[in-house]
C-alpha cells in the first residue's frame, strides 16, 4: 500500500528529524506575529535543498502546516493574531482567556487543528485529482462572483449591525487599493511616499486593530483591567461540555476549510472567517458569541488547518500554487529537481508519499507538543497587564516591521491601533474591515481580468452557470438578511410599545 510505504519513508531517522524541526519552526513562526510561514520557508530554502528532495520537502511542509498551530497562541493570550488566519480566534479565544479559560481555548485549538489537519490529509489522498479539476473551472468572472458572495456572507461576522459591518468592509476594500495597481503597475493613493508602494500590510493593520487597540483600551480602563488573570490547574483543559460543543465545529470547519483551500487566494484566512460565520449562524448558544464561545475557537482553528491541506491539492496534482506559502514550497520542489503535477506521483513516489506520511506524523507531533504545553502558555495570563502590554506592543512593532522590512508598516500599525481603540469605543467591530482588506485585491483583479476577457461587456460577468448561480446565492442571502433585520427591528419596536 503506497501510504504504508510513505510512512516507512517518513519514519526513517533523518526524515523524522526533518519533520520534527519543521513543525517546531512552524509553531514558532505562528507564535511570532508578522513572520509568516512563507518568509520562514524562504529563509530556510538553502538548507532544505541540501537535505535532499524527500527530507527537504518534509521539513518545508512541516513549517507550512505547523504555523497554523502556533498562530492561535498569541490570538488567545494577548489578542494579537500570530497569523492572518488566526484573526478570528481573537474574537472568542481572547474573551475565553479573560474569563480564565485560556487553557481550554488553547487545548481546543490544538485538538481542532489535529482533527482538521488529519482530515485534510485523508481528503488529499482521496480527492486530489477531481477537486483540482473543479477548481480549474473557476475563471476571473467566477472568482469575482465568489468574492461578492463571500462579502455578503461574512458581513454578519460580528452581529453588531449590518450597516456598520458593511461600512467596515467598504473601508477595508478602499484600503486594499493602496499601493501598486496589480495590472497597470501604477502607484495609487501613496501620496508619493516610497514605503507605501507595497500597499498596506495586513499584518500591520491586524496587529494594530487588535493588539495596539487593545493596549490603548486597557490603558483607558486601567483601574478595572490591571487585575492579574488567574488560571487554576483544573481550568487548563476543556471540560466535557466544552469538548462536546467543540467537536462538531471542528469537523464542519475541517470540511469547509479544505474546500476553500482549493481556491486561489488567502484560503486559510477566508476559511477561518467563513467557519466563524457558519458557527455563529447555526449555534444554539448565539448569546455567547462575542463573549467567549468555544465554537468560535474550534471551528476557525480547524478551518485554517484544513485550508492549508486543501491548498496542497492543486500544487501536488497540477503544480499550481494558490498561496504565497505554497508558492515557496513549489520553488523548493523545483530547486530539488522535483516537478509537481500529473507526473509527480509516477516520477517521485517516495517524495510524494513520504510527504503525505510525514504530514500524519507531523500532526501527531504537534498535538503531543502543544497539549502538554497548555499550562505553560496559560501561565502567561498570570502576568500583570502593566508588564505584559509593553511586551505585546514590542511584538506588534517587530511583527509589523518584519512583514516587509519597512518602517512605514510600523506607522500603519500605530495608526490602525488608534483606529482600533476608536472602533471599540464606538462599538464598530474591526473584523469586517480585515475581510475587505483580504478580499479587495482578489475582487479587483478578478473583475478587471473578467472585463478584459469580455472586452468590456458587463454581461460576461454573469455568462457562466457557476457565476450566475453564485450571484443568485448572494442575492438570496442578502434578501434574507434584510428581512431578518426588519423583523428584528419590528419586534423590538413592538416590545417598546408594550412597555
Amino acid at each position: 500500500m503506497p501510504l504504508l510505504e510513505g510512512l516507512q519513508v517518513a519514519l526513517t531517522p533523518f526524515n523524522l528529524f526533518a519533520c520534527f524541526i519543521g513543525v517546531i519552526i512552524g509553531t514558532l513562526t505562528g507564535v511570532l506575529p508578522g513572520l509568516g510561514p512563507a518568509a520562514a520557508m524562504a529563509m530556510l530554502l538553502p538548507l532544505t535543498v541540501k537535505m535532499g528532495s524527500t527530507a527537504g520537502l518534509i521539513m518545508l511542509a512541516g513549517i507550512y502546516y505547523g504555523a497554523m498551530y502556533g498562530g492561535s497562541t498569541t490570538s488567545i493570550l494577548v489578542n494579537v493574531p500570530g497569523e492572518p488566519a488566526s484573526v478570528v480566534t481573537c474574537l472568542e479565544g481572547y474573551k475565553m482567556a479573560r474569563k480564565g479559560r485560556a487553557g481550554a481555548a488553547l487545548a481546543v485549538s490544538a485538538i481542532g487543528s489535529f482533527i482538521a489537519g488529519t482530515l485534510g490529509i485523508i481528503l488529499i489522498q482521496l480527492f486530489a485529482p477531481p477537486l483540482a479539476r473543479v477548481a480549474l473551472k473557476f475563471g476571473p468572472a467566477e472568482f469575482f462572483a465568489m468574492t461578492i458572495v463571500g462579502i455578503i456572507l461574512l458581513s454578519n461576522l460580528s452581529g453588531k449591525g449590518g450597516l456598520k459591518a458593511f461600512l467596515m468592509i467598504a473601508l477595508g476594500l478602499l484600503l486594499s487599493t493602496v499601493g501598486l495597481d496589480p495590472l497597470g503597475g501604477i502607484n495609487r493613493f501613496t501620496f508619493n511616499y516610497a514605503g507605501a508602494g507595497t500597499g498596506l500590510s495586513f499584518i500591520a493593520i491586524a496587529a494594530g486593530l487588535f493588539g495596539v487597540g487593545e493596549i490603548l483600551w486597557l490603558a483607558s480602563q486601567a483601574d478595572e483591567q490591571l487585575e492579574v488573570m488567574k488560571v487554576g490547574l483544573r481550568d487548563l483543559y476543556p471540560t466535557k461540555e466544552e469538548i462536546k460543543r467543540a467537536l462538531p465545529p471542528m469537523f464542519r470547519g475541517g470540511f469547509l476549510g479544505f474546500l476553500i483551500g482549493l481556491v486561489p487566494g488567502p484560503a486559510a484566512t477566508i476559511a477561518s472567517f467563513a467557519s466563524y460565520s457558519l458557527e455563529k449562524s447555526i449555534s444554539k448558544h448565539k448569546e455567547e458569541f462575542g463573549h467567549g464561545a468555544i465554537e468560535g475557537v474550534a471551528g476557525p482553528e480547524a478551518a485554517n488547518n484544513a485550508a492549508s491541506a486543501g491548498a496542497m491539492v492543486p500544487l501536488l496534482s497540477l503544480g499550481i500554487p494558490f498561496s504565497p506559502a505554497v508558492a515557496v514550497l513549489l520553488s523548493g520542489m523545483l530547486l530539488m529537481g522535483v516537478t509537481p503535477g500529473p507526473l509527480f506521483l509516477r516520477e517521485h513516489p517516495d517524495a510524494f508519499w513520504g510527504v503525505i506520511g510525514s504530514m500524519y506524523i507531523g500532526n501527531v507531533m504537534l498535538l503531543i507538543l502543544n497539549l502538554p504545553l497548555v499550562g505553560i502558555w496559560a501561565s502567561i495570563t498570570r502576568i500583570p497587564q502593566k508588564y505584559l502590554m509593553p511586551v505585546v506592543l514590542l511584538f506588534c512593532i517587530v511583527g509589523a516591521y518584519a512583514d516587509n522590512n519597512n518602517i512605514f508598516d510600523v506607522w500603519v500599525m500605530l495608526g490602525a491601533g488608534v483606529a482600533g481603540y476608536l472602533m471599540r469605543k464606538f462599538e464598530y467591530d474591526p473584523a469586517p474591515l480585515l475581510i475587505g482588506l483580504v478580499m479587495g485585491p482578489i475582487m479587483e483583479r478578478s473583475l478587471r481580468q473578467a472585463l478584459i476577457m469580455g472586452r468590456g461587456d458587463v454581461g460576461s460577468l454573469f455568462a457562466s452557470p457557476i457565476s450566475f448561480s453564485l450571484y443568485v446565492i448572494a442575492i438570496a442571502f442578502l434578501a434574507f438578511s434584510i428581512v431578518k433585520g426588519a423583523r428584528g427591528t419590528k419586534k423590538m419596536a413592538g416590545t417598546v410599545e408594550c412597555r
Side-chain angles (χ1 to χ4, degrees):
M1 184 177 178
L3 179 58
L4 292 178
E5 294 176 3
L7 288 171
Q8 289 177 353
V9 171
L11 285 171
T12 59
F14 187 65
N15 290 340
L16 197 62
F17 176 74
C19 181
F20 177 75
I21 295 298
V23 297
I24 288 291
I25 293 175
T27 303
L28 292 175
T29 297
V31 169
L32 297 174
L35 184 56
M41 292 162 67
M43 287 188 292
L44 292 172
L45 264 181
L47 173 63
T48 55
V49 169
K50 294 181 180 179
M51 295 172 64
S53 59
T54 302
L57 290 177
I58 285 174
M59 183 171 171
L60 287 176
I63 296 172
Y64 175 50
Y65 58 81
M68 296 302 151
Y69 272 77
S72 62
T73 302
T74 50
S75 295
I76 292 170
L77 295 181
V78 291
N79 205 35
V80 177
E83 283 295 306
S86 299
V87 167
V88 179
T89 309
C90 293
L91 301 179
E92 304 299 333
Y94 185 68
K95 296 294 195 311
M96 289 184 66
R98 296 294 304 163
K99 295 193 298 185
R101 302 300 296 149
L106 288 166
V108 164
S109 172
I111 295 169
S113 297
F114 171 76
I115 290 175
T118 305
L119 179 64
I121 300 166
I122 294 172
L123 293 175
I124 287 175
Q125 295 176 241
L126 297 178
F127 303 112
L131 288 177
R133 286 195 293 269
V134 171
L136 284 178
K137 293 181 180 180
F138 275 69
E142 288 77 16
F143 283 126
F144 177 71
M146 185 182 64
T147 59
I148 297 295
V149 174
I151 283 176
I152 292 176
L153 288 174
L154 299 175
S155 63
N156 195 37
L157 185 69
S158 65
K160 293 185 178 180
L163 181 59
K164 286 185 175 182
F166 273 114
L167 287 174
M168 289 292 98
I169 287 179
L171 180 58
L173 292 173
L174 290 173
L175 293 176
S176 72
T177 63
V178 176
L180 280 177
D181 182 331
L183 298 183
I186 301 172
N187 274 323
R188 305 178 301 184
F189 311 116
T190 61
F191 300 97
N192 295 322
Y193 190 86
T198 57
L200 300 180
S201 165
F202 182 94
I203 289 291
I205 293 179
L209 289 176
F210 286 92
V212 179
E214 180 70 16
I215 292 171
L216 294 176
W217 178 258
L218 293 179
S220 69
Q221 307 290 325
D223 293 339
E224 300 177 15
Q225 300 293 334
L226 284 179
E227 180 182 356
V228 180
M229 292 183 287
K230 303 288 185 180
V231 181
L233 290 175
R234 63 182 180 180
D235 299 324
L236 290 179
Y237 294 95
T239 63
K240 290 183 179 179
E241 176 63 22
E242 287 173 330
I243 290 291
K244 181 180 178 181
R245 287 175 54 181
L247 280 175
M250 289 176 187
F251 284 97
R252 283 192 293 264
F255 281 105
L256 178 64
F258 185 83
L259 293 175
I260 294 175
L262 299 172
V263 179
T269 304
I270 295 173
S272 60
F273 277 109
S275 175
Y276 183 85
S277 181
L278 172 65
E279 295 305 324
K280 186 175 185 298
S281 64
I282 66 175
S283 175
K284 297 179 181 179
H285 307 276
K286 290 184 173 64
E287 71 284 353
E288 292 187 21
F289 277 78
H291 304 283
I294 193 74
E295 296 90 341
V297 175
E301 281 301 311
N304 65 39
N305 276 269
S308 67
M312 297 284 283
V313 171
L315 173 68
L316 298 176
S317 300
L318 302 166
I320 301 175
F322 278 1
S323 70
V326 178
V328 176
L329 185 57
L330 172 61
S331 301
M333 297 174 79
L334 296 175
L335 289 172
M336 297 170 195
V338 176
T339 303
L343 300 179
F344 180 32
L345 181 57
R346 183 189 304 173
E347 295 178 353
H348 305 278
D350 286 349
F352 180 88
W353 289 109
V355 170
I356 297 297
S358 74
M359 292 174 74
Y360 281 107
I361 297 168
N363 271 284
V364 175
M365 284 183 179
L366 285 165
L367 186 66
I368 293 172
L369 288 170
N370 278 273
L371 281 180
L373 296 179
V374 163
I376 295 175
W377 296 123
S379 66
I380 295 176
T381 60
R382 297 187 182 187
I383 302 173
Q385 290 179 358
K386 61 182 178 181
Y387 303 126
L388 183 61
M389 289 302 105
V391 177
V392 173
L393 181 60
L394 178 62
F395 270 111
C396 290
I397 293 173
V398 172
Y401 181 78
D403 190 25
N404 294 308
N405 294 326
N406 189 350
I407 193 65
F408 174 76
D409 292 336
V410 177
W411 292 109
V412 170
M413 180 206 66
L414 295 175
V418 175
Y421 166 75
L422 294 175
M423 287 178 191
R424 180 160 181 172
K425 184 174 182 180
F426 294 103
E427 297 184 349
Y428 281 80
D429 189 9
L433 186 152
L434 295 178
I435 294 173
L437 197 62
V438 170
M439 303 291 275
I442 304 172
M443 174 180 282
E444 180 187 6
R445 189 181 300 108
S446 57
L447 173 62
R448 294 173 65 179
Q449 288 175 344
L451 291 176
I452 290 171
M453 293 172 65
R455 297 183 179 181
D457 182 12
V458 177
S460 63
L461 298 175
F462 310 89
S464 77
I466 295 176
S467 59
F468 182 79
S469 300
L470 289 172
Y471 286 121
V472 170
I473 293 172
I475 292 171
F477 189 83
L478 183 62
F480 173 77
S481 299
I482 293 173
V483 171
K484 184 179 178 182
R487 287 180 177 177
T489 304
K490 185 176 179 181
K491 185 178 180 180
M492 289 180 64
T495 304
V496 172
E497 288 177 4
C498 291
R499 290 180 178 179

